[in-house]
Amino acid sequence: MRIITGIYKGRHFDIPRTFKARPTTDFAKENIFNVVNGYLNWEDTIALDLFAGTGSISLELLSRGCRQVVSVEKDRDHARFISQCMEKIGAENNILIKGDVLRFLKSCHQQFDFIFADPPYAMPELPTIPDLIFQYGLLKDDGLLVFEHGKHNDFSSHPRFVEHRSYGSVNFTLFR
């Protein structure tokens, strides 16, 4: 796993072979961040990374200069790995929440400029996650939600839908 751009550009982190998480491919990550660059000024951004997995997106957000990144990851080993990566780069503006994303959504009272959610594609609740984010008011009015999902999900009729991007087998839907 590598950081694509920003102050930590080129840094590599070896993901343990035992991990179940699949990091977003460099190709997909680079392309979706190019799209998101048109919506946000990273330096003013407070970001939320849901289902943080390997921490790849959180690290990329910090490298691009986000003011703060909150990462939520349920798996104990993955959370430990994310914490170690943050230590290696000396990130002080990352908050790691070790817990279930659905519980976090219900209890969080903070709003974010940018939310990235990459749930397991087979998760039964996957189609409800964008609605939960809006229901609990986690995205600021001018904020952006990037939702990664499989090819079988279509959110184009969602009232907050902005656009859909596909990079190979990786699909992103953007909401505002």
Side-chain angles (χ1 to χ4, degrees):
M1 170 178 82
R2 79 178 169 93
I3 299 174
I4 294 170
T5 196
I7 59 175
Y8 306 120
K9 178 181 180 176
R11 295 286 299 264
H12 286 265
F13 301 90
D14 294 323
I15 301 168
R17 295 178 194 266
T18 58
F19 272 27
K20 299 171 283 238
R22 43 151 185 73
T24 303
T25 65
D26 283 354
F27 175 75
K29 184 168 61 169
E30 185 168 12
N31 280 291
I32 197 61
F33 271 93
N34 285 339
V35 172
V36 172
N37 281 339
Y39 290 93
L40 296 173
N41 175 2
W42 294 112
E43 290 78 29
D44 298 330
T45 299
I46 296 175
L48 174 63
D49 182 9
L50 297 171
F51 306 95
T54 61
S56 171
I57 298 298
S58 294
L59 290 162
E60 194 70 42
L61 290 166
L62 289 167
S63 184
R64 290 169 187 259
C66 281
R67 195 163 22 132
Q68 181 185 56
V69 177
V70 176
S71 310
V72 183
E73 176 52 48
K74 182 179 180 177
D75 185 280
R76 178 188 60 198
D77 293 332
H78 295 196
R80 186 179 313 115
F81 178 75
I82 293 168
S83 183
Q84 290 168 351
C85 291
M86 295 300 169
E87 246 178 64
K88 284 179 185 173
I89 64 169
E92 296 178 5
N93 48 346
N94 178 258
I95 298 169
L96 176 60
I97 309 287
K98 298 172 194 162
D100 180 75
V101 167
L102 298 177
R103 284 192 189 133
F104 172 82
L105 293 176
K106 291 177 187 173
S107 64
C108 181
H109 301 291
Q110 184 176 359
Q111 286 195 315
F112 299 90
D113 302 295
F114 179 71
I115 300 175
F116 187 94
D118 180 12
Y121 289 2
M123 181 180 188
E125 300 89 351
L126 182 143
T128 67
I129 292 170
D131 287 332
L132 291 173
I133 289 168
F134 292 116
Q135 177 185 334
Y136 296 120
L138 299 181
L139 190 67
K140 290 183 180 175
D141 289 339
D142 59 344
L144 182 69
L145 164 62
V146 172
F147 191 67
E148 184 175 334
H149 55 85
K151 64 182 177 186
H152 301 296
N153 300 99
D154 179 7
F155 296 95
S156 60
S157 63
H158 192 281
R160 307 284 295 265
F161 173 84
V162 175
E163 63 179 292
H164 173 262
R165 298 289 178 119
S166 179
Y167 306 104
S169 63
V170 181
N171 289 267
F172 297 101
T173 298
L174 283 67
F175 302 87
R176 284 213 106 160

